[in-house]
Amino acid sequence: MTVEAKPRGRAQIRSAVLTATSELVAERGPDGFSVRDIAARAGVNHALVHRHFGTKADVLEQMLAADAQGVVEAVIESGLPTRGEASPDVVAELLDLLAASPSYWRTLVHAVLDSPEAAVPGTASTTELFSGLWRDSDPGDAVQTSVAGASVLGWLIFGKFMSDATGADPEDVRRAIAQQVSELIATQP
């Protein structure tokens, strides 16, 4: 049996707390745990969570920002195009990349419902990703981008639920969303 060393120093503590928070959000949702739960999962005293982050809301905000940056970096590192038109196959690959971060999307939904200003462009790197997705940020493309983004976010949050509820094959739903988003972003206003 190996015993992991407790995190030491600011960087290790912050990393452990953000990782623990992300895991707890994925398991229980943002309201299903306390700072003490975060600290226990991270292997630190709960006072250190307050010292390095402040409140639980502050921890969630910083976890959301870190996870958002990770999502954007994954999209950029994938080499998939994020400007110009995108085929349904490219959109499907992007959907897979986005789906790999379920705790981020779950936390984002709660953040936006609790604080709608969380969705304002410039406040999270993923809002910037969506606001310029496949376009050169032309304001005339905002409606198509908004509808495409809402479709993707709806699929990320409710895709499995809707597939289970309707009996639809989840892969067929994923392909249909990819096709719809591809058509939306190809449409000129």
Side-chain angles (χ1 to χ4, degrees), residues 104-115:
Y104 170 71
W105 303 108
R106 190 170 184 183
T107 306
L108 180 64
V109 167
H110 283 275
V112 170
L113 291 174
D114 291 345
S115 304

Side-chain angles (χ1 to χ4, degrees), residues 166-182:
T166 63
D169 179 347
E171 183 58 26
D172 290 344
V173 173
R174 180 181 149 282
R175 280 193 300 271
I177 292 292
Q179 179 68 41
Q180 177 190 38
V181 169
S182 179

Side-chain angles (χ1 to χ4, degrees), residues 62-130:
Q62 290 184 45
M63 184 219 78
L64 191 61
D67 284 359
Q69 188 60 40
V71 167
V72 171
E73 287 171 6
V75 170
I76 291 168
E77 288 172 8
S78 73
L80 294 170
T82 59
R83 297 278 188 244
E85 294 183 13
S87 72
D89 290 339
V90 168
V91 174
E93 287 184 60
L94 286 168
L95 290 176
D96 291 342
L97 279 172
L98 298 176
S101 302
S103 65
Y104 170 71
W105 303 108
R106 190 170 184 183
T107 306
L108 180 64
V109 167
H110 283 275
V112 170
L113 291 174
D114 291 345
S115 304
E117 64 275 8
V120 175
T123 59
S125 49
T126 51
T127 60
E128 290 301 306
L129 177 68
F130 278 116

Side-chain angles (χ1 to χ4, degrees), residues 4-67:
E4 288 189 35
K6 289 189 175 218
R8 301 251 186 249
R10 180 176 172 78
Q12 284 184 2
I13 290 169
R14 289 182 59 80
S15 177
V17 168
L18 292 174
T19 298
T21 303
S22 186
E23 291 170 357
L24 287 165
V25 167
E27 292 170 16
R28 305 180 194 174
D31 297 326
F33 57 91
S34 67
V35 169
R36 288 184 186 273
D37 295 327
I38 295 169
R41 177 72 61 99
V44 300
N45 183 294
H46 78 280
L48 286 174
V49 176
H50 291 292
R51 180 177 179 190
H52 290 282
F53 292 91
T55 66
K56 177 184 168 189
D58 295 331
V59 177
L60 286 169
E61 182 179 314
Q62 290 184 45
M63 184 219 78
L64 191 61
D67 284 359

